[in-house]
Amino acid sequence: MKKLLVANRGEIAIRVMQTAKKMGIKTVAVFSEADRNSPHVKYADQAVCIGPAPSNESYLRGDKIIEVSKELNVDAIHPGYGFLSENADFAELCEANDIIFIGPRSKAIRVMGSKLAAKETVKAYDIPMVPGTDEAITDIPEAKTIAKDIGFPILIKASAGGGGKGMRIVENETEFESQMDRAISEAKNAFGDGSVFIEKYVASPRHIEIQVMADMHGNVIHLFERECSVQRRHQKVVEEAPSAVLTPELRAKMGQAAINVARSCDYIGAGTVEFLLDENLNFYFLEMNTRLQVEHPVSEWIAGVDLVELQIKVARGEHLNLKQEDLKINGHALELRVYAEDPMNDFLPSVGNLEVYLLPEGENIRVDNGFEQGMDIPIYYDPMLSKLITYGKTREEAIELMIEAIDNYHIEGVQTTLSFGRFVCEHDAFRSGNFDTHFVKKYYSPSLLQDQETLEAEIAAKIALKHFLKEQKVLKVPS
Ligand code: MV4
C-alpha cells in the first residue's frame, strides 16, 4: 500500500493521514469547493477537488472518488466516519475496482446496516438481546399480543434506522396501533424501508460500546469499552474509557460478546459493538457500527494502540500481532466533542468566523482538530470543530485535566460546547460515575451554564480585587 486516499474532511481526515505518513504511505485528500483552504487539504501530499459544497455533490460522490483514485494510482481508500463509511455499495465499488476499502467487506456493512438482519445473524452466537420481535412486523394485532406479553412500555424501532433514528416509545396498549402506523410510515419515508420491530423499553440504560479489531485470518480482539451515556438527542458529547461501572468480569463477558458479534458477520477491521447496560448491570446487544468511530481516541489511549495503524495493517492482509491476553487497560481517558453550537440556545449551530482559535497543549492532552484561526465554519457539514481528549492515571485526574484544558482552549467568533463540557465535568453525578443516558435531559439547563459563568466571573472579580488591595497595601507600606 503506497498511496492512501482519505474520503473525508476535517479532523478525521487529518487523523488518518497522520498515521499513513508515520507508516510511509503517501496521502491524497479530496475536498469540496467549500473546503479549498481547509487544513486537511494542506496536510495531504496531493489533493483533488471533487465538487461543490453540498456533500451529496462532493464527499458522498463515490463514483467521483473512485475516478480520482484510479487517475492517481491510489491503492486504498479510508472513509473515516460519516459520509461513505457505512455505505455497502461504495465498499463494493472499491472491491470491484481493485481498490482496498479500509473497513469490513460490503457484506458485513450491509448485514449490520439492517437491525433485523443483524439480530438474525448474531442469533446463533449466544448474544444477550432485549426481549422483542426478531422479524419485521406485518400483523399489527399479533404484534400487540407480543407487546402485551413483553409488557409496556415498549419501543418500536426501524430496521433500517440506527443511532436513535426511527424509534418510538409506546407507553400503553391503547396507543399501540396508532404509534405502530406512524412508525411504519415514518420508516418508509426516512429509509425507504417500512420494516419495524419491537423491543422491551429499557428505561434508564447506560450506553456502553466495545471496540473490536479483526484481521482476515480469523483473529478478533476487543480493546475494551467506551462509556458514551453523556449524549444529547443521540449526539454524544462526552465519552470515556474505561467505564466507571464495569467490573473485570463484566468487561470480559461484554468483550467476548462483542467478539462473537464480529465473528458472526466475518468482520474485518475496526468495529464497534453497542450495548445497553441496565441498572442491574445486565447488558443487551443493540447494533454494530462498521466504521472507525469519532470517539476512538479514548480507546487508543487506554489500550496503547493506534487504531488507524491496525486498520491499515489488517487491510494489507497482515496478522493482528496483539493477543487478547496481552492487552490491558492503562489509566483513564476522556473525550469532549467541541462543536460550534450554542449550549445557551438549544445547541443551535453557531457558524461564523474563528476569530480566535488557540488550542490547549501539554502532557496528557490530545486535540484532534480540523480547523485553524481565521477560518469560516462551513454551513454544509457537521459543526464539530475538534475533539479534546485528556488522559490520567485515574478518572479524577483525567476529569481535572479536562477542566484545565477547556480553560486553555480559546475560541472567539462562534459559540461552542466547551462551556457545556465544563458543566459535565463539574457535575456531581458525572464525577460520581452514577449517571445514564438521561444525564443531559435530567441535569442540564442553559440557566445553569449562565449561573456557572456568573459564578466564575464573580470569583475572577474577587481575585482581582484581592490582588488590587494587596498592591494598594504594598504601595502604602513604604510611605
Ligand atoms: C433502546 C433504548 C431502550 N430500550 N432500546 C438509541 C440509539 C440506538 N442505538 C438504540 N437506542 C436505544 N435503544 C431499548 N430496547 C434506549 C435507547 C436510547 C439510547 C441508547 C444509547 C445512547 C443513548 C440513547 C438515548 C436514548 C435512547
Side-chain angles (χ1 to χ4, degrees), residues 130 155 157 162-165 167 199-203 205-207 228-229 231 234 274-276 286-287 437-438:
V130 188
L155 200 56
K157 293 185 176 184
K165 276 177 262 158
M167 295 197 334
E199 274 180 4
K200 169 133 196 86
Y201 178 62
V202 182
R206 286 176 175 255
H207 172 138
C228 305
S229 298
Q231 53 84 43
H234 304 295
E274 283 186 22
F275 295 98
L276 288 181
L286 272 187
E287 51 192 80
T437 51
H438 303 301

Side-chain angles (χ1 to χ4, degrees), residues 220-478:
V220 190
I221 57 170
H222 75 82
L223 297 128
F224 315 109
E225 79 278 8
R226 290 185 290 262
E227 159 75 70
C228 305
S229 298
V230 182
Q231 53 84 43
R232 199 193 140 265
R233 301 196 188 155
H234 304 295
Q235 178 166 283
K236 295 168 186 162
V237 195
V238 174
E239 302 105 336
E240 62 181 311
S243 160
V245 294
L246 293 207
T247 59
E249 293 73 33
L250 183 55
R251 177 170 297 124
K253 259 196 198 159
M254 293 180 76
Q256 191 54 52
I259 287 173
N260 291 345
V261 170
R263 287 200 188 287
S264 78
C265 62
D266 299 317
Y267 202 81
I268 299 170
T272 297
V273 183
E274 283 186 22
F275 295 98
L276 288 181
L277 188 69
D278 72 15
E279 302 102 322
N280 302 318
L281 300 184
N282 298 305
F283 67 91
Y284 309 97
F285 168 63
L286 272 187
E287 51 192 80
M288 180 171 193
N289 300 318
T290 57
R291 59 171 190 277
L292 182 74
Q293 300 217 153
V294 174
E295 59 272 26
H296 75 276
V298 293
S299 299
E300 295 189 315
W301 221 329
I302 64 146
V305 299
D306 178 335
L307 286 169
V308 175
E309 183 181 336
L310 292 178
Q311 281 188 300
I312 291 174
K313 284 183 171 171
V314 302
R316 291 195 299 215
E318 293 174 33
H319 285 78
L320 270 177
N321 52 11
L322 293 165
K323 295 260 166 298
Q324 191 68 54
E325 56 271 26
D326 298 336
L327 289 165
K328 69 183 249 306
I329 296 177
N330 234 312
H332 202 99
L334 204 60
E335 172 178 287
L336 168 66
R337 297 190 188 190
V338 183
Y339 285 98
E341 290 176 349
D342 186 358
M344 298 294 285
N345 193 6
D346 206 28
F347 294 84
L348 245 60
S350 172
V351 288
N353 184 269
L354 289 172
E355 287 155 22
V356 175
Y357 193 69
L358 299 169
L359 305 179
E361 283 171 29
E363 201 186 351
N364 294 339
I365 297 174
R366 164 174 167 180
V367 191
D368 282 15
N369 170 48
F371 284 82
E372 56 192 24
Q373 190 158 294
M375 274 177 73
D376 288 321
I377 300 163
I379 57 164
Y380 302 95
Y381 317 108
D382 180 280
M384 195 179 79
L385 298 173
S386 76
K387 304 178 310 209
L388 178 52
I389 306 123
T390 60
Y391 175 83
K393 283 195 294 296
T394 62
R395 186 169 185 267
E396 290 66 36
E397 263 183 46
I399 295 174
E400 279 308 316
L401 187 56
M402 179 61 79
I403 294 170
E404 203 180 304
I406 289 169
D407 290 343
N408 289 320
Y409 203 147
H410 300 292
I411 305 179
E412 273 167 46
V414 299
Q415 298 301 316
T416 76
T417 52
L418 278 172
S419 55
F420 178 74
R422 198 174 206 289
F423 163 82
V424 174
C425 288
E426 287 178 340
H427 199 280
D428 287 342
F430 183 71
R431 295 191 83 110
S432 71
N434 184 16
F435 58 92
D436 57 44
T437 51
H438 303 301
F439 177 87
V440 179
K441 200 170 45 192
K442 219 150 105 184
Y443 300 119
Y444 177 70
S445 81
S447 62
L448 293 171
L449 220 55
Q450 184 84 68
D451 292 351
Q452 186 184 301
E453 271 168 21
T454 312
L455 203 71
E456 273 158 32
E458 275 169 14
I459 293 167
K462 268 185 201 154
I463 293 169
L465 183 65
K466 217 164 85 186
H467 282 288
F468 174 75
L469 293 174
K470 229 197 240 161
E471 271 175 41
Q472 293 283 82
K473 268 187 210 153
V474 170
L475 286 177
K476 272 181 202 156
V477 173

Side-chain angles (χ1 to χ4, degrees), residues 17-38:
M17 291 191 278
Q18 274 169 349
T19 290
K21 285 192 180 182
K22 179 180 90 179
M23 297 172 81
I25 300 168
K26 290 266 175 270
T27 56
V28 180
V30 291
F31 61 95
S32 73
E33 282 162 18
D35 282 340
R36 206 166 278 287
N37 300 312
S38 292

Side-chain angles (χ1 to χ4, degrees), residues 131-179:
T133 56
D134 50 12
E135 266 172 71
I137 286 162
T138 47
D139 184 330
I140 294 181
E142 189 192 316
K144 192 172 177 177
T145 309
I146 299 171
K148 279 195 273 185
D149 281 349
I150 297 170
F152 287 93
I154 59 111
L155 200 56
I156 309 175
K157 293 185 176 184
S159 178
K165 276 177 262 158
M167 295 197 334
R168 216 162 242 286
I169 302 174
V170 187
E171 300 285 353
N172 56 57
E173 212 184 309
T174 50
E175 49 179 294
F176 187 79
E177 282 90 353
S178 63
Q179 291 283 49

